[in-house]
Structures are given as C-alpha cells and as structure tokens.
Amino acid sequence: MSTEPERLQAVFDRAFADIGQVREAFTPQLRPREVGTITSIGTGIAKVSGLPTVGFEEVLRFPGDLYGIAFNVDADEIGVVLLGAYWRLHAGDEVERSGHVVDVPVGEGLLGRIINPMGQPLDDKGPVVSSARLPVERPAAPIMDRAPVTVPLQTGIKVIDALIPVGRGQRELILGDRQTGKTAVALDTILNQRDQNVLCVYCAIGQRASGVAKVVATLREKGAMEYTVVVVTEGNDPPGLAYIAPYAATSIAEHFMEQGRDVLIVYDDLTHHARAYRELSLLLRRPPGREAFPGDIFYIHSRLLERATHLRPELGGGSLTALPIIETEAQNLSAYIPTNLISITDGQIYLSPSLFELGVLPAVDVGQSVSRVGGKAQLAAYRAVAGDLKLAYAQFEELETFSRFGARMDEETREIIEHGRRIRACLKQPELTPLSVPAQVATLLALTGGLFDPVPMERMTEAEQAVREAAETIPEEVIARFASAKGLSDEDRAKIVGIARAALEPFQPKAEAEPAGQER
C-alpha cells in the first residue's frame, strides 16, 4: 500500500523538474504592438488615429471582440467600417491591428448551416466546422482559366428553361418591382438542384428576419438545406456586414467550385448591398455621385459578379452560376443600379407587375428578358421547340394589344391569339413546383404542335397537368436522348406527341358539341 504514494511522488517530482527546466530555458521577448485610439464613432463607422502601418481592408480589433475593416487609409486617420454592435464603443477606446484581411470559413461542414458573413453560426447546431478560411475579397479567375458555358442549369421553371435558359457559369440578373416574385424564382431554382449534383449558396443581404426565416423553412421542408449554405445579414445589422455579405458568400461558393463542383449562388438582393455601400461611403465622407452613390459603385458589383465562371477541365471544370436579384422602382429598368447590373451580367429575367396582377405567375416578361449565353447551353430537346414558341408568343402579345380595341379580326389572327393564350396558360406555374425535363419537353411539344388549341381555356390547367403526368410514361431511351447533342429524332418527337395527344383526348370539346346544339 505504501508504494502507491511513493509512485505518485515520483511522477510529481519528474513533472516539476521538467517545468523548472523549461522555465530556466525561457527568455522573454519584447514584441512591439501597434495600438490606435478611436477619435469618433458614427453609424456603423469609426475614425481611428494611430496605427501608422495599417493596410487597406485589414481587420482591426476593438474592445469586446468587435471587428472592423480599415476602409479609408488617410495620412492622419483611418476610416473603419464596423462589423458588429458598434453602440458599445466610445471615443478613446483602444484599437489593435490583426495583420490579416477579413476571411470566412469554407468547406463541407457549412452545408446545411445558417451563418453570418463573419462565419459565426445563426442556427442552433453548434460551432461551424470548416476545413479552411478564405479571404472574402479574392481576384476573379483569369480569362485563360475559363471555359465556355456549355451545360444548362435547369431552373425547373418552364418559361425560363424554354425561352430564357441559364447555363452553368452564367450570371443572370433577376429584376422587377417589389413583391413580383423575384425570390420565388430563385428559390424554385435552388429546389430544382436536388439530385442534380449542384450545391447552392443563398445570400440574404439586409432582408427582414421574417422573410429569411420563411425561405429557410421552405428549404428545410423541401429537403434542400442538405446541399445549401445560407449567409444572412438582417435589416437591423450594421451596414458593414451587409457590404461584405455577398463577397463572403462568393468565397464559400468558390471553394466548392475549385474542387470541381457546380455551384449556384443567389444574391438577395444587390439593391440593399448598393445602399449599404452608399451609406458607408457618405459617412466616411467619400464624394457622392449620381443618386448619391459613390463613383466606384459599378466596380463593387463587377468585381463580385466576375467571380462567377466555368473553369477549364484542367482546373477541375467546376462552375459558379450567379443569380443576382435587384429591385426596380415603378418598372424603371434604366435607373442607375439596374443599368449597371444589366451591363455586368449575361442577361436578365424581368418580372412585370402588370403580369403579376393578371395572375400570370411566374410574372416573367418574355419580351424584356434575355439570356446572352444560355441558348448555347440549352438542351437540344428544348432548342427544337423554343424558337417557334418565342416567336408565336411575341406575335400574340403584339396582336392582343390591338384586339382590346374590339376591331374585327380575320380567322388567322384569331387563331394566333387563341394559340398565344394557351401558350401563356401553359407557361404559368405554381410556386415551389419545379418541373422535370421530360414534363417540360412534353408540354412544350404539345404546345408547338397545337394540341392544346382545341382545349377550352377554363380546362387548360387540368389539361396541362394531364400531359405532365403522362410524361412519366415516356420511354427511358427517349429521355436519355434529351441530353444528347443531336436532340430528338422525328420518331422520338412522334412518340412524345402521341403520349400528349392521348392525355389530352378527354379535354377535347367533342362531347359537349351536341348538347350545345340542342339548346340553340
């Protein structure tokens, strides 16, 4: 029994001897440390004196674990953008340099998480597990590292996939007045990436907390959170956080792209981003320009959206597709920020409030929407039908305006208008119901083949539903050819049209013709 305390004593003696050796070997070193002082505090900004060797966009540490970015580096003071609860700070508080720029955690551990732009968790799932950290501001891929956009990014929305297609690696702007369904279009696109091997990043910039909660609840309910990262700044967050949010989200997405993955990023929305930057710039006394935006407002968005690309196969062949959202006022597409973003992006999807009021949902105005890339990336099965469809729809929209005057129309004009009404009815789609490629192709082929023309307008929704359900019976070998470069053969088309015709037979008005004649 007495051996046990002796053994413990020996262990302690050895430990203390080792500690003593380390203490004797240690020589304290003096390390200079730069400390500055807050001279004044504003809404989301601070002016700091001292710190003579601070770098542009370096992170500064304030009391209470609060951070800021050195934004204006002048000769006698530094303008700092604060990234947290700035109301706790006071003039005279100490400020330290960190020696690094703002970075964000990246990696597989972020999938399914809700974080702020600093990488701090906003859900109840504990700390964020990351494999690395990347700066939020990174240079865009050089031209020689990029490959053409050749693969479609299916949104699951008929009107977009058929008439305004988006390719993987493209930047497609979604714009329209408030409450026209911009977020709904982006949300449907995220939901449609399930089982498509596409990861998604949803970046909410200065949104209402209730709106973000609704989006997250929808993503969870539909099982989309498992392949999605949500980066959030709320409306009451400091403008500095709203400013860095899209850059942080893009760094998270770029990490996956550089691993050879396909990624979709949604910026919701860049109007708030521009306003946050304008607020910071005016507070820091930068000269205002048009609509009080600073002169480099174009640059902040161009350096963000240029990071979306499709990399060469030698670099993994990953892609980053950007869907920036912008809010217009009174349908003014020629305002400053919308025109800036239209010129940066590869096309735009315009949502019209007048179509929204008519119940045409999604309210995509086909005449004012364009994709400057997607046609090259569109599936051949769509290309065979989309050209005729767009022309027929454009003719209908022109003639519909004249038909409102009550003018007498010849038979051909009446047929064009009736066909156009059925196109519009078929392009309607409920929210959160993205469609598969076979269902879309079957519907579009039936449309261009005139199979819906005899169907009464009040039964169009049922008829289209019947065609979608019948599309599930399309043979597997035909579905396999949808993605081929050759497209559909005449035999394939005939099979699909036959399936659609059989599905639409119960909706033909033949049976109703006799009773109608008797009543007369």
Side-chain angles (χ1 to χ4, degrees), residues 55-104:
F56 176 61
E57 291 197 339
E58 183 178 336
V59 173
L60 302 179
R61 196 179 292 110
F62 290 82
D65 271 347
L66 183 68
Y67 295 92
I69 310 171
F71 218 55
N72 278 9
V73 184
D74 299 326
D76 51 350
E77 70 175 6
I78 304 154
V80 181
V81 171
L82 299 170
L83 304 174
Y86 54 85
W87 43 87
R88 297 178 189 162
L89 299 178
H90 304 93
D93 285 350
E94 284 192 353
V95 187
E96 289 181 50
R97 286 183 59 194
S98 69
H100 62 83
V101 294
V102 187
D103 53 17
V104 68

Side-chain angles (χ1 to χ4, degrees), residues 250-480:
T250 309
S251 289
I252 292 167
E254 274 180 332
H255 172 75
F256 294 123
M257 176 183 74
E258 287 161 5
Q259 293 179 330
R261 310 285 293 273
D262 291 312
V263 192
L264 166 70
I265 186 163
V266 174
Y267 304 109
D268 189 7
D269 64 23
L270 291 185
T271 313
H272 285 106
H273 184 241
R275 287 174 185 158
Y277 185 66
R278 174 172 64 184
E279 182 180 348
L280 293 171
S281 298
L282 292 174
L283 286 165
L284 289 169
R285 296 281 188 265
R286 290 188 176 184
R290 181 176 163 187
E291 294 178 27
F293 287 105
D296 60 344
I297 191 75
F298 180 91
Y299 172 60
I300 74 160
H301 286 151
S302 63
R303 76 172 187 257
L304 172 70
L305 292 166
E306 281 297 333
R307 291 163 72 176
T309 185
H310 178 210
L311 294 175
R312 288 187 301 136
E314 296 86 346
L315 296 169
S319 70
L320 176 54
T321 310
L323 290 181
I325 295 174
I326 203 85
E327 186 183 294
T328 55
E329 292 180 354
Q331 306 177 52
N332 184 11
L333 271 71
S334 58
Y336 188 29
I337 301 301
T339 47
N340 275 355
L341 280 149
I342 286 169
S343 64
I344 294 165
T345 50
D346 308 311
Q348 71 270 357
I349 296 166
Y350 175 61
L351 300 173
S352 159
S354 48
L355 285 175
F356 189 88
E357 286 158 15
L358 289 169
V360 180
L361 301 176
V364 176
D365 186 328
V366 176
Q368 296 196 65
S369 301
V370 65
S371 174
R372 301 188 190 100
V373 177
K376 302 269 186 201
Q378 195 174 26
L379 292 175
Y382 282 96
R383 278 203 294 273
V385 293
D388 298 341
L389 200 65
K390 197 158 190 177
L391 180 62
Y393 195 51
Q395 283 180 323
F396 155 67
E397 287 191 316
E398 289 294 319
L399 289 170
E400 189 186 34
T401 310
F402 287 108
S403 71
R404 290 188 188 131
F405 296 116
R408 299 180 80 182
M409 293 176 289
D410 58 61
E411 193 58 36
E412 188 185 349
T413 307
R414 192 176 286 108
E415 281 176 10
I416 290 172
I417 288 176
E418 286 302 317
H419 182 54
R421 283 184 180 143
R422 279 151 184 79
I423 293 174
R424 178 183 280 168
C426 269
L427 292 180
K428 286 183 185 179
Q429 191 171 329
E431 195 178 339
L432 309 178
T433 54
L435 294 184
S436 66
V437 172
Q440 290 194 37
V441 171
T443 306
L444 297 172
L445 273 174
L447 257 181
T448 50
L451 302 187
F452 284 106
D453 290 0
V455 177
M457 279 301 294
E458 62 272 13
R459 301 197 68 191
M460 275 297 296
T461 306
E462 296 172 67
E464 194 229 340
Q465 177 69 27
V467 171
R468 291 210 311 257
E469 288 170 4
E472 294 173 15
T473 64
I474 296 172
E476 286 295 327
E477 64 271 15
V478 177
I479 291 174

Side-chain angles (χ1 to χ4, degrees), residues 137-152:
E137 291 270 14
R138 303 177 76 213
I143 291 172
M144 296 309 291
D145 289 351
R146 299 177 183 231
V149 175
T150 52
V151 181

Side-chain angles (χ1 to χ4, degrees), residues 107-190:
E108 298 282 336
L110 269 70
L111 293 173
R113 299 302 304 269
I114 305 164
I115 59 171
N116 71 5
M118 302 291 286
Q120 296 157 344
L122 298 177
D123 49 20
D124 52 0
K125 295 183 180 177
V128 172
V129 179
S130 62
S131 54
R133 294 187 76 90
L134 289 179
V136 298
E137 291 270 14
R138 303 177 76 213
I143 291 172
M144 296 309 291
D145 289 351
R146 299 177 183 231
V149 175
T150 52
V151 181
L153 182 104
Q154 294 293 130
T155 64
I157 301 169
K158 285 172 291 187
V159 64
I160 295 175
D161 289 342
L163 306 181
I164 318 143
V166 180
R168 294 187 185 184
Q170 189 175 340
R171 300 155 299 182
E172 186 81 4
L173 182 65
I174 301 171
L175 77 164
D177 286 10
R178 62 187 301 276
Q179 298 297 320
T180 49
K182 301 183 295 296
T183 301
V185 168
L187 202 52
D188 278 1
T189 307
I190 291 174

